[in-house]
Amino acid sequence: MALVAGMVWSFLLPASAQQKRPAITGIAFARFYASDPNASQHFYGDTVGLRRMTEGGRSVYPVNASQWVEWVPLTDPSLHSRMAAIGFTTRDAKALQHYLTEHHVAIAEPLKDGMFAVHDPDGYLVYFVQAGSNRAVAKAAPSAKATSSRIIHVGHVVRDQAAEDAFYREILGFKPYWHGGRKPAERDDWVSLQVPDGTDWIEYMLHIPAEASLKSVGVQDHFSLGTETMDTVLAKLKANGCTDAVCSKTQIGLDGKMQLNLYDPDLSRLEYMEFSPRQKPCCSDFTGPQPTAIENK
């Protein structure tokens, strides 16, 4: 993602002029591009077990009463990233929009229907969603086939970590959670930051070559569904007809958490992950509380 022209990252305001940042409590949604609507429906609906709704040309899959996954039709096949947007939940979207304006962050989409959007320094579209504003999601009946009812993190390729830190840590108040790498003595390949008022997190995926393939970028641009135990996910996937070897290929990541990876038809990764680690993580200790089945509100 290229840096969006015209974005200014300045937060050196006099203390007296700075508005207090409204609470940001968690992940609201992850949006991806889909090149084949039927294949995407099969993956998110039949395999992952979520029930589909439509909103303004988007296919929306509620995960719980305030979190969802969605896809929009792919209009530019040359895009290497199929992640279209990330959404975070806030308790006061209007005040947060004003806060970001005060900090010279350009508003890409003004507040409407409880949400507004900006671009982060790497060019990703980031929404902030007023808690409870998506009434269709809030009223959606839970799907009996759902393999999880909780989004716990979203990750994407980061080209400029310092600029991302200026946005997420300095302006928005995200907090360090965990970091690690394939060769931890040499560098970090992943840096996780928790939202300031909850346990969900965003994950920087670092050191990805600019010429990386769609498949390689799809590994990095991902979202994660949480679970108390992976056995629950395995049973649900089997009941939903996911019997390929990949549907039972679990592993413990370097963060010590059990995980299982699936890929949607456009090669974007869905990472199932247990809430708590089974063993000590490599590289660094966790510096924040672990997520639970109950989303922070």
Side-chain angles (χ1 to χ4, degrees):
M1 285 283 183
L3 184 66
V4 175
M7 288 196 299
V8 178
W9 303 98
S10 174
F11 43 87
L12 301 177
L13 296 178
S16 60
Q18 291 189 24
Q19 173 193 351
K20 182 180 179 181
R21 175 193 48 76
I24 300 171
T25 60
I27 302 291
F29 69 90
R31 178 189 298 167
F32 296 89
Y33 291 112
S35 58
D36 184 337
N38 290 331
S40 290
Q41 162 57 21
H42 174 67
F43 179 79
Y44 289 103
D46 298 335
T47 301
V48 182
L50 303 176
R51 184 175 288 116
R52 179 184 179 186
M53 306 187 310
T54 56
E55 290 184 354
R58 306 188 315 277
S59 290
V60 176
Y61 297 81
V63 175
N64 57 48
S66 55
Q67 293 182 306
W68 65 96
V69 184
E70 60 183 54
W71 57 258
V72 294
L74 177 68
T75 57
D76 183 0
S78 69
L79 286 174
H80 262 190
S81 172
R82 298 296 165 88
M83 176 173 277
I86 306 165
F88 297 100
T89 305
T90 178
R91 294 189 188 133
D92 193 335
K94 182 178 180 181
L96 185 56
Q97 178 176 264
H98 180 66
Y99 171 86
L100 290 175
T101 299
E102 276 197 335
H103 287 73
H104 304 288
V105 178
I107 305 301
E109 295 181 20
L111 183 63
K112 182 180 179 182
D113 299 329
M115 58 195 294
F116 71 94
V118 302
H119 286 98
D120 78 3
D122 267 310
Y124 287 89
L125 189 62
V126 178
Y127 283 88
F128 296 94
V129 182
Q130 176 71 44
S133 63
N134 192 324
R135 296 181 181 179
V137 168
K139 294 180 179 179
S143 170
K145 296 175 58 180
T147 48
S148 171
S149 59
R150 182 83 163 83
I151 299 175
I152 57 174
H153 79 262
V154 174
H156 67 67
V157 173
V158 165
R159 305 292 183 193
D160 189 336
Q161 184 178 353
E164 290 285 281
D165 280 346
F167 177 63
Y168 283 106
R169 297 185 64 172
E170 301 297 333
I171 296 178
L172 292 176
F174 280 50
K175 303 167 293 186
Y177 175 56
W178 180 79
H179 62 88
R182 297 176 182 87
K183 298 180 179 180
E186 298 180 11
R187 69 183 190 186
D188 286 331
D189 293 304
W190 315 287
V191 173
S192 297
L193 301 175
Q194 283 184 311
V195 297
D197 306 287
T199 56
D200 297 351
W201 68 93
I202 186 168
E203 185 175 17
Y204 296 173
M205 312 300 283
L206 302 171
H207 310 298
I208 309 306
E211 67 277 9
S213 66
L214 175 64
K215 181 178 181 180
S216 294
V217 173
V219 173
Q220 318 303 325
D221 289 349
H222 69 283
F223 75 103
S224 177
L225 292 175
T227 183
E228 291 281 1
T229 173
M230 198 59 66
D231 289 343
T232 302
V233 173
L234 294 174
K236 287 282 190 177
L237 287 173
K238 184 177 181 180
N240 291 349
C242 189
T243 56
D244 294 341
V246 69
C247 299
S248 58
K249 187 180 179 181
T250 60
Q251 62 188 26
I252 295 182
L254 291 179
D255 60 359
K257 295 186 179 185
M258 181 68 74
Q259 58 183 238
L260 183 151
N261 295 304
L262 297 181
Y263 293 84
D264 79 3
D266 287 271
L267 304 180
S268 297
R269 180 164 61 103
L270 160 56
E271 179 182 37
Y272 289 102
M273 177 178 281
E274 291 184 345
F275 296 134
S276 299
R278 294 196 180 194
Q279 63 186 41
K280 183 176 175 60
C282 91
C283 319
S284 75
D285 292 326
F286 290 102
T287 56
Q290 303 300 344
T292 67
I294 304 301
E295 182 191 2
N296 300 93
K297 300 289 183 66

